[in-house]
Amino acid sequence: MTLSDIQFIFNRAFSKSFHMKKLLLVFVALALCGVLVVFFRGLAVNAGHWLILSLSFLPIFLCSGFLLSTGILLIRIYHDEIKNKPIKYGDIFAKSWEVILGSSYFSVPIILVYLLIWMLLGIFFLLRDIPSFGQFFAVILAFAPFLINLSSLLLCLLNFALLFFVAPVIALKGFNKIQISKSLVSRLENDPFSNLFFVLISVLPLFLVVLILSIAAFLTGTICYACEQPIYTVLQWFVIMIPFTALLSPAIVFFFNFAAEAHVLMQKELKQSELKKIK
């Protein structure tokens, strides 16, 4: 694997990221996720700290399963594009329906683990509010909320890893749990540096777009004079969410395109290393 190989797959993934039908597909998916996020954020307005944590992280895990299914469909479309095959979105969706539905269950264990973590944090808050002894427990168990919040952030990283590493395997190889696990383990063990490097490349356009859009959304929020009431705040989030998701769509398409390219390139490298070992 050389720099020219990485340059080639980057340019090809980038060139296939602005097709209108794929952008429309991603926009619809992101808009549905955006509605879910806005809904949970609206519920979190004026809520307690414990409830705010749940309403902040839970939509991330719910949207992750939906984005994983969308990514599988995008990768299968991209596979036909680079093979110069005629693309029929209806046929691809019909053939991918069972795989897409099965892949959404990857987020279920993560959601259950997070709910367990959230319940443990709730127990800490209950101990803290005990009269007379609450402050003692808060001091002695100060590490507990830190570890619980750290675990929530690690679950978010795990969700992101699923989108990058698992989506190409399912899209190109099918929904076989044993095959998926073997493919991921062999890929990560063979060259962890290259895998991390590919992740950084794939997320760089997404990070830049999100940063710019977030700054613009923050500046927009500071000039909303009628947003003192929660209902107006939620409505403002909903209205801003529409152009936000539309402008974010090309970066999402590139992310999954590049994830597919990285998967194929790493599989080739893995086969070459196995042949060298045999020789």
Side-chain angles (χ1 to χ4, degrees):
M1 180 173 54
T2 62
L3 181 60
S4 61
D5 295 329
I6 301 174
Q7 181 182 6
F8 174 75
I9 64 173
F10 181 93
N11 291 336
R12 184 164 66 174
F14 186 81
S15 65
K16 302 292 183 181
S17 301
F18 298 94
H19 292 186
M20 188 56 63
K21 289 184 179 180
K22 288 197 294 185
L23 292 177
L24 181 60
L25 173 65
V26 175
F27 170 71
V28 173
L30 289 179
L32 293 175
C33 293
V35 170
L36 185 64
V37 172
V38 170
F39 174 74
F40 276 88
R41 285 197 63 183
L43 293 178
V45 174
N46 298 326
H49 181 67
W50 179 57
L51 190 59
I52 289 176
L53 285 176
S54 173
L55 296 176
S56 298
F57 283 102
L58 194 57
I60 297 176
F61 302 133
L62 293 174
C63 293
S64 178
F66 191 62
L67 288 176
L68 179 62
S69 301
T70 305
I72 292 171
L73 185 60
L74 288 172
I75 291 172
R76 290 195 166 188
I77 294 171
Y78 181 69
H79 177 266
D80 289 346
E81 281 181 334
I82 61 178
K83 296 292 184 180
N84 294 322
K85 295 181 180 179
I87 300 173
K88 295 182 179 180
Y89 284 73
D91 294 342
I92 296 175
F93 182 78
K95 294 178 181 179
S96 307
W97 173 249
E98 293 183 0
V99 176
I100 291 174
L101 186 63
S103 65
S104 62
Y105 292 107
F106 270 92
S107 60
V108 173
I110 297 177
I111 293 175
L112 294 178
V113 171
Y114 174 72
L115 291 177
L116 178 61
I117 293 173
W118 181 57
M119 291 173 62
L120 292 175
L121 185 62
I123 294 174
F124 173 81
F125 279 109
L126 288 176
L127 292 175
R128 190 191 63 179
D129 292 337
I130 295 177
S132 302
F133 297 99
Q135 294 300 322
F136 174 78
F137 284 118
V139 173
I140 298 301
L141 300 177
F143 64 90
F146 169 77
L147 294 178
I148 290 173
N149 291 324
L150 177 62
S151 301
S152 300
L153 294 174
L154 291 177
L155 286 177
C156 292
L157 292 177
L158 178 60
N159 264 293
F160 177 79
L162 285 176
L163 295 178
F164 185 82
F165 292 106
V166 176
V169 180
I170 298 177
L172 301 177
K173 300 294 183 180
F175 191 74
N176 188 320
K177 294 181 180 179
I178 298 177
Q179 189 176 19
I180 292 172
S181 60
K182 288 182 178 180
S183 176
L184 292 177
V185 170
S186 60
R187 175 179 172 180
L188 294 174
E189 287 182 347
N190 182 60
D191 194 351
F193 174 80
S194 296
N195 284 291
L196 180 59
F197 182 65
F198 285 142
V199 171
L200 294 177
I201 293 176
S202 67
V203 80
L204 181 60
L206 184 62
F207 173 78
L208 293 176
V209 173
V210 169
L211 178 63
I212 295 172
L213 293 178
S214 299
I215 294 174
F218 173 77
L219 293 176
T220 304
T222 60
I223 61 174
C224 183
Y225 300 106
C227 294
E228 296 180 358
Q229 298 182 9
I231 183 63
Y232 292 116
T233 302
V234 175
L235 288 176
Q236 185 197 30
W237 290 341
F238 177 77
V239 173
I240 294 176
M241 179 268 299
I242 297 174
F244 194 101
T245 54
L247 296 172
L248 191 61
S249 297
I252 296 294
V253 175
F254 171 81
F255 174 82
F256 286 111
N257 288 351
F258 192 81
E261 292 280 7
H263 170 74
V264 174
L265 183 60
M266 291 302 298
Q267 290 298 313
K268 292 180 180 178
E269 291 293 321
L270 181 60
K271 290 180 180 179
Q272 291 178 0
S273 63
E274 290 177 350
L275 290 176
K276 290 179 180 180
K277 290 179 181 180
I278 295 174
K279 294 179 180 180

